[in-house]
Amino acid sequence: MANASDRHQKSERATKLVGVFELLAAQHREMQALLEQVLAADGERALLWPECRRQLVSHERSEVRELYPVLRANPATRALADHHDDEARQLDAVISLLNTLPVASARWLEVFRELANTVIAHAAEEEAQLFPEAQQALGEPYSVYLAGPVLKAKHAIADQMVVVVASSTPADSSLP
């Protein structure tokens, strides 16, 4: 994880992100902290995973709903949007897989580590390459404007997701 984190710090120094891109970069840092917290939690993973999943999914879906259609409409950024969609589908597939596994299992932890590494690398790539290119193509005023709709969508999506304490086994119904 240190390599992705190092790239993340370098990307911050290389380009001053504004508006929606600054917002999404801040969310990336929050998600990295959540991912690291889940990895370090051992017995608390079942309690932390639902909120981590909620934040990951609401972030990704708000990007897909509000930002990437704008990028897809611009010929200069269309390929960036297509690339992002592929990665978003992969993220959804891994989260779906995690939801089928017992949180206390070694397999769940293995898949979660892969997810954490993928998310951190994805964030670093967005911040180092995609966000600066998109910000340049959209211009600073529109980048600033888009922060509102993206944040509103993230909150709406997160509010729709029910946070339920994950059990250590899929069949365990003893937890609320």
Side-chain angles (χ1 to χ4, degrees), residues 38-50 103 108-109 113 166:
V38 171
L39 283 170
D42 288 330
E44 299 294 315
R45 284 190 188 110
L47 298 173
L48 296 171
W49 167 236
V103 176
W108 188 94
L109 183 57
R113 278 194 180 107

Side-chain angles (χ1 to χ4, degrees), residues 1-174:
M1 280 204 270
N3 275 343
S5 181
D6 292 344
R7 286 191 306 267
H8 169 79
Q9 290 171 355
K10 288 176 187 173
S11 72
E12 277 189 16
R13 289 189 296 267
T15 301
K16 171 70 172 122
L17 299 175
V18 299
V20 68
F21 303 109
E22 180 181 30
L23 170 72
L24 294 172
Q27 289 176 7
H28 289 163
R29 290 187 295 278
E30 292 168 8
M31 282 187 289
Q32 181 173 347
L34 271 172
L35 292 164
E36 290 170 357
Q37 188 178 7
V38 171
L39 283 170
D42 288 330
E44 299 294 315
R45 284 190 188 110
L47 298 173
L48 296 171
W49 167 236
E51 181 60 20
C52 183
R53 176 183 55 225
R54 183 173 172 252
Q55 293 304 318
L56 286 168
V57 169
S58 63
H59 169 86
E60 196 62 36
R61 289 185 183 164
S62 68
E63 283 182 330
V64 168
R65 182 186 294 177
E66 298 295 332
L67 176 61
Y68 285 95
V70 172
L71 298 180
R72 184 165 287 100
N74 185 331
T77 54
R78 186 170 296 130
L80 299 173
D82 292 341
H83 174 71
H84 179 271
D85 285 351
D86 292 340
E87 290 186 353
R89 280 190 288 277
Q90 292 171 1
L91 174 70
D92 282 342
V94 173
I95 289 173
S96 293
L97 174 59
L98 282 168
N99 288 335
T100 67
L101 299 171
V103 176
S105 71
R107 177 73 176 133
W108 188 94
L109 183 57
E110 175 187 338
V111 172
F112 185 83
R113 278 194 180 107
E114 291 172 18
L115 172 71
N117 289 333
T118 299
V119 166
I120 291 166
H122 170 81
E125 178 185 27
E126 279 187 328
E127 292 174 37
Q129 297 170 355
L130 192 145
F131 290 176
E133 286 181 43
Q135 182 173 291
Q136 182 177 6
L138 296 178
E140 191 169 312
Y142 199 52
S143 297
V144 169
Y145 163 77
L146 280 173
V150 168
L151 186 59
K152 183 177 178 180
K154 182 182 188 308
H155 289 305
I157 293 163
D159 289 347
Q160 290 173 355
M161 295 179 70
V162 178
V163 177
V164 178
V165 176
S167 65
S168 60
T169 62
D172 183 358
S173 61
S174 64

